[in-house]
Amino acid sequence: MTEQELQQLVEDISLKSFGMKFRHKARFNPRLRTTGGRYLLHSHDIELNPKHLELFGLDELIGIIKHELCHYHLHLQKKGYRHRDADFKLLLKEVDAPRYCAKIPHAQNSVKTRHLYVCTGCGTRFERKREVDTSRYVCGKCNGRLKKIKG
């Protein structure tokens, strides 16, 4: 699917499902890794992950487009456009848009434990991605000293 075909698809879905025009840009962004798409608040553009089209097909892409258009139209109407807002949840149901998209296998950024600390008082283990200054920080449970085990 080309960028022009994507733009036309988004405009068609906006008119059919929402009864309003989409007046901004829709484009593929191959740098998106863990999300199906995103609505940009400042430019009002919509970016979509091309991998969702490749892996899951057109129906999944249409669902993602509807989801992002919910953000788009609610934001422009100055209504609650965030995931937690009642306006957003209601509009999702009205247009039959999914709340979440399918997960791309192996796309999640896994958090790897690089540093392991143990409390000398209660024995609680703390796994951290970043290094902790043991002279400054103590155990949150018993205020015991932390001892670095790994990293």
Side-chain angles (χ1 to χ4, degrees):
M1 179 180 283
T2 65
E3 297 278 328
Q4 290 176 335
E5 292 171 336
L6 176 68
Q7 181 72 31
Q8 189 61 47
L9 179 64
V10 172
E11 290 174 8
D12 291 345
I13 292 171
S14 182
L15 274 176
K16 288 176 188 171
S17 297
F18 297 87
M20 294 180 264
K21 284 188 175 182
F22 178 72
R23 292 189 168 92
H24 293 86
K25 298 277 188 217
R27 61 181 166 267
F28 284 118
N29 183 349
R31 291 173 296 160
L32 295 177
R33 298 177 67 104
T34 59
T35 185
R38 67 180 173 188
Y39 165 63
L40 303 171
L41 291 172
H42 297 292
S43 65
H44 306 295
D45 294 344
I46 291 176
E47 295 182 340
L48 299 160
N49 190 339
K51 286 194 177 177
H52 273 78
L53 177 62
E54 293 169 20
L55 294 174
F56 305 111
L58 188 61
D59 288 339
E60 177 72 16
L61 183 68
I62 289 172
I64 294 168
I65 290 170
K66 285 182 179 180
H67 178 100
E68 299 308 326
L69 284 172
C70 287
H71 289 296
Y72 172 80
H73 289 299
L74 288 171
H75 182 249
L76 291 180
Q77 294 171 8
K78 304 212 184 310
K79 293 182 180 177
Y81 62 90
R82 295 184 177 133
H83 288 114
R84 65 177 179 246
D85 294 330
D87 291 334
F88 181 75
K89 292 176 185 176
L90 184 67
L91 187 58
L92 280 178
K93 283 184 183 177
E94 286 177 15
V95 298
D96 194 31
R99 185 122 186 250
Y100 305 102
C101 64
K103 291 188 178 185
I104 296 175
H106 309 294
Q108 296 293 330
N109 296 331
S110 60
V111 177
K112 295 179 181 163
T113 302
R114 294 189 188 137
H115 304 282
L116 178 63
Y117 300 90
V118 175
C119 173
T120 56
C122 65
T124 304
R125 295 168 52 109
F126 298 95
E127 296 177 359
R128 294 290 181 265
K129 197 172 182 181
R130 293 184 179 180
E131 195 168 5
V132 173
D133 184 3
T134 56
S135 65
R136 186 173 176 191
Y137 294 100
V138 296
C139 174
K141 291 184 177 180
C142 71
N143 286 338
R145 298 199 77 27
L146 299 177
K147 181 180 176 187
K148 188 169 188 171
I149 303 293
K150 176 185 157 191

